[in-house]
Every structure is written in C-alpha cells, then in structure tokens.
Amino acid sequence: MGMQYMKITGYTDEEFKNPVAGEPYNLMLNPESIKWNRTIEYNEQHPIDASSSSQKYKSTPSDNLSFDIVIDCTGVVDSKRTDLAAEIKTLEDIVYTYNGDIHRPNFVKIQWGNDLVFLSVLKSFDTTYTLFKPDGSPLRAKISLSFGQYISPEKRKKEDNENSPDITHLVEVTQGQTLPQLSNKMWNSPYYYIQVAHYNNLNKFRHLKGGSKLIFPPIIKSTS
C-alpha cells in the first residue's frame, strides 16, 4: 500500500453529506505534526470558609485541530503541480472562500487514513512564502491551518437529548447510590429526586437496591 496523503474536502451542508464540486485537496506533503486541542472551561468559586477557590464546571468548547502544510511547486515533489498560486487558490476555495450558495464558507472534512477524520470549519489560514524564483515569484509556501470542530445543531441536540430532562430514561441502580445522586448524574441537579421517587412509588430515598431499575420521567421544572 502506497503513501496516504491527507485530503481536505469541502461540504455545502452541516451534515457533511454533499461535497462541493471538484476534487478534494490532496496534500503534496503530509504535515510533520498535528495539534489537537481540547479544553474545559470552569467558573472560579471561592467559598467563604475555604482558603482556595474551587473549579465548577462551565462547559466543554469544541475541539481545535491545527497543523502546517508545505506546498512545494519547484517540480521536485510533483512535476505536474508547479503552479503555486493555483494550488493555494484550490485550497482557499475549499476551506476559506465565501460560498454564495450557502452564504458562508464551506464545511470542511480533514481526513488522513482511517484514524483521523475531523469535521470542522476553518478558523485561520496563514501563508508564509519560503522560496522564490530570481524574479521574485514564489515557489514554495508554508500554510498554517486551524480548524474548529463542527457539530450540527441537529446532531448536538440529539446528543444533548440523551440526558435531556424532557424525555423518559430507564436507569439501573448501583448498590449504594441515592436518588439525589442519580438525579444529579442525570440532570446536573440533585433536586428533582422527589419527582422520581413519586413516579416510582418510592418512600426510601437514601438506600436503593442495587440492580433495580428506575424510571426517570420528564421532569416538571418549578416556575417559582
């Protein structure tokens, strides 16, 4: 099996089902390294009776993928790809240029082999020219690319609904768990346990039988 090169494909839809016309952009040289950045955001809380602040979870922002690519149009890497301006424009048209049909730049899939597939939108596109002909026209460029992971609102809604308070869940109890703990795990709030207890005709909240199954109904939020 020959060398696999990273390819970059533009899509006109946020579900990544309709690729743009033309071929994906196939890199001439694979990146030497890739940075996949993940972060978690917290709110700093400083309890009155504590000497240090605590970190309360706020959110998990989208992942970022960044890497540098080299486009070499000297003819040494690929004798058929020697027009640097055309190479950069082809890449720009896929990841950067405003697409009037969808009123935004394209959605972008980064793929390298079977293990790296990143569905995204472009965040930055920085070009550094590194080699020139005697007349000053560039022959080689390093392009630094950064992409933000893109999850369509429909897909995100579906993922969020797995723990949504608006639908019914069947939960298996682990020995020692309490209803407030399960309520907190399911909905990030321990205060809905009374509704769960009432729905399941439970009169003991603290010690639940391991292996038993409870129905967590759609919760009714207080309007007060």
Side-chain angles (χ1 to χ4, degrees):
M1 190 176 186
M3 171 77 75
Q4 288 195 39
Y5 290 93
M6 178 186 285
K7 65 179 180 179
I8 301 175
T9 309
Y11 286 81
T12 58
D13 66 305
E14 58 189 13
E15 299 296 338
F16 295 87
K17 293 179 180 178
N18 301 312
V20 297
E23 294 293 317
Y25 188 80
N26 290 282
L27 268 60
M28 298 175 72
L29 297 163
N30 283 323
E32 292 185 359
S33 64
I34 294 174
K35 182 179 180 182
W36 193 316
N37 179 253
R38 299 175 179 179
T39 59
I40 298 176
E41 293 183 350
Y42 296 91
N43 286 324
E44 293 275 352
Q45 291 188 330
H46 199 102
I48 296 174
D49 59 348
S51 59
S52 60
S53 60
S54 62
Q55 304 275 17
K56 184 172 176 61
Y57 175 79
K58 179 182 178 184
S59 65
T60 302
S62 298
D63 295 1
N64 288 320
L65 191 76
S66 55
F67 51 88
D68 295 341
I69 66 172
V70 173
I71 301 177
D72 187 317
C73 290
T74 60
V76 174
V77 177
D78 188 334
S79 60
K80 297 177 182 178
R81 296 171 68 174
T82 56
D83 188 336
L84 183 60
E87 290 284 338
I88 293 176
K89 184 178 187 306
T90 300
L91 180 58
E92 282 179 342
D93 286 348
I94 291 174
V95 304
Y96 174 77
T97 304
Y98 182 87
N99 184 336
D101 293 334
I102 59 174
H103 308 293
R104 57 165 297 147
N106 297 320
F107 302 93
V108 182
K109 179 169 78 172
I110 315 294
Q111 184 166 6
W112 190 3
N114 295 321
D115 294 332
L116 176 63
V117 177
F118 194 76
L119 305 180
S120 64
V121 289
L122 179 73
K123 297 185 77 172
S124 64
F125 186 121
D126 298 322
T127 305
T128 305
Y129 296 98
T130 60
L131 183 67
F132 302 86
K133 293 179 183 178
D135 65 2
S137 55
L139 280 170
R140 184 186 298 142
K142 182 182 81 170
I143 300 180
S144 299
L145 296 166
S146 176
F147 297 88
Q149 184 181 39
Y150 187 85
I151 301 173
S152 70
E154 191 64 32
K155 184 177 180 183
R156 189 176 294 278
K157 182 179 177 183
K158 185 177 179 181
E159 291 176 354
D160 290 346
N161 273 347
E162 291 179 359
N163 285 340
S164 170
D166 301 319
I167 62 176
T168 299
H169 306 274
L170 184 64
V171 176
E172 183 169 343
V173 177
T174 301
Q175 187 67 37
Q177 285 182 316
T178 67
L179 267 191
Q181 287 173 342
L182 288 170
S183 172
N184 193 57
K185 183 178 180 181
M186 179 64 65
W187 296 314
N188 290 322
S189 172
Y191 302 117
Y192 298 120
Y193 74 90
I194 294 175
Q195 294 183 40
V196 178
H198 184 266
Y199 194 89
N200 289 273
N201 295 317
L202 294 176
N203 54 17
K204 291 185 179 179
F205 303 155
R206 293 297 167 189
H207 299 289
L208 304 173
K209 185 179 179 182
S212 62
K213 290 182 171 61
L214 297 177
I215 296 173
F216 278 56
I219 60 173
I220 301 170
K221 297 182 179 179
S222 172
T223 58
S224 60

